[in-house]
Amino acid sequence: PLDTAGPILLLASQTQGRHALEDYIIWFDHLGMSDVDRVGGKNASLGEMISNLANAGVTVPGGFATTAHAYREFLATDGLKERIDNALDALDINDVNELARVGAQIRQWIIETPFPDVLENALKESFATLQDGNEHMAVAVRSSATAEDLPDASFAGQQETYLNISGRRNLVLTCKRVFASLFTDRAISYRVDKGFNHMDVALSIGVQKMVRADTGSSGVMFTIDTESGFEGVVLINAAWGLGENVVQGAVNPDEFYVYKNTLSDQHSPIVRRQLGEKAIKMVYSHDSTAGLSTRNVEVAREDQIRFCIDDDDVLQLAKYAVIIEKHYGRPMDIEWAKDGENGELFILQARPETVQSGLDK
């Protein structure tokens, strides 16, 4: 008789392997907004756009996310969670010196604790797949907090983002640094002030192909006027280089207002342009180690006095913004980048706009 047990067992083993991998790593194109509890809002939104808006022309760089399960498995290693719990239970956050000492100690524990083999191997294998033979490919490594069940919680900007990260070992170390950033002095104090249990927040890491905005431009845009709350315009901020300076308010960007109602007409929908100083730009450094992988340089005078994107770019970005807003059904806060090598525009992140949306109407 034909022995079919071997192929069946092999198939079962391969299926279990794929399922085990998805416990730790999920590719963006397999994610959507129903996965917030697994990968946080930021990574879920990337998956949502890649899965649903690509046919509408919205281009998002590919990548993958680690899961909340992966984070909790890591904390279960070598008694790490218990050590963190004990240190935080005894902490008085009003003692700033003690807060700094305990926070630094916890972050050091995280850096020194080895990842479970299954997580480290999953990271390295997924990164190799993303590289697709390009050993010099750089990625952005960002945090995405899974705190959707906590009322009125906003963890945006509290964890680290690292740009221009390359190399598998370097990626693993950078992921540890992102996990450690959940225990900065500011993040610890915020959770205590809000009455949140520190372990109710898990961290997902997004690993996303870099756009060569270091030789191009980037910025943020809103599908609402953030000053007045007028919903009929798209507001675009733009500066030379990588977008962190615009996000952090470290640079005075170019500013464009686009009127949504005439965006598809022959009339010019750009109702306002304002030239920004753009005195500095963030570019790649020669060291791809986390924390050392980017640097700020002065912008040449001739570039300071000209717009860093043209009208075609402005209109294309505004169209992307309207498509994204329509899909999510609410005003959005969107990060974008223009690749200086090929001129292509990319959407890097999209989240609900919170300034005007959070005001009592």
Side-chain angles (χ1 to χ4, degrees), residues 117-277:
D117 288 343
V118 63
L119 173 56
E120 181 161 341
N121 291 336
L123 275 170
K124 290 179 177 178
E125 289 173 16
S126 299
F127 186 60
T129 301
L130 190 63
Q131 286 179 308
D132 193 24
N134 178 9
E135 291 295 323
H136 302 291
M137 186 200 74
V139 293
V141 183
R142 307 176 190 273
S143 65
S144 182
T146 63
E148 76 293 342
D149 291 329
L150 304 179
D152 302 319
S154 176
F155 296 91
Q158 287 194 24
Q159 283 75 56
E160 294 289 348
T161 291
Y162 295 103
L163 306 177
N164 184 32
I165 300 301
S166 59
R168 296 179 201 179
R169 291 181 61 186
N170 192 27
L171 173 68
V172 171
L173 178 58
T174 303
C175 288
K176 283 191 182 179
R177 290 185 179 276
V178 174
F179 280 163
S181 71
L182 194 55
F183 295 96
T184 61
D185 302 354
R186 177 185 170 213
I188 291 170
S189 297
Y190 179 87
R191 291 192 294 271
V192 171
D193 287 341
K194 295 293 184 180
F196 299 151
N197 185 307
H198 295 286
M199 296 305 163
D200 283 345
V201 184
L203 209 60
S204 166
I205 297 170
V207 178
Q208 185 179 34
K209 282 185 178 180
M210 285 290 299
V211 176
R212 289 303 305 268
D214 58 308
T215 60
S217 52
S218 55
V220 297
M221 55 183 174
F222 303 89
T223 63
I224 189 173
D225 180 6
T226 54
E227 294 294 325
S228 68
F230 178 54
E231 297 184 0
V233 294
V234 176
L235 166 61
I236 300 172
N237 291 328
W240 298 111
L242 302 171
E244 292 303 294
N245 283 337
V246 180
V247 172
Q248 296 168 4
V251 67
N252 179 20
D254 295 336
E255 190 173 86
F256 306 88
Y257 282 88
V258 181
Y259 188 50
K260 293 176 186 175
N261 283 353
T262 55
L263 187 55
S264 58
D265 296 348
Q266 298 301 316
H267 304 87
S268 175
I270 303 175
V271 294
R272 180 184 175 188
R273 299 177 186 82
Q274 183 167 314
L275 189 69
E277 185 182 13

Side-chain angles (χ1 to χ4, degrees), residues 240 254-256 273-276 278 303-310:
W240 298 111
D254 295 336
E255 190 173 86
F256 306 88
R273 299 177 186 82
Q274 183 167 314
L275 189 69
K278 308 182 298 293
D303 288 333
Q304 290 186 34
I305 60 176
R306 70 183 179 96
F307 290 109
C308 63
I309 53 176
D310 60 26

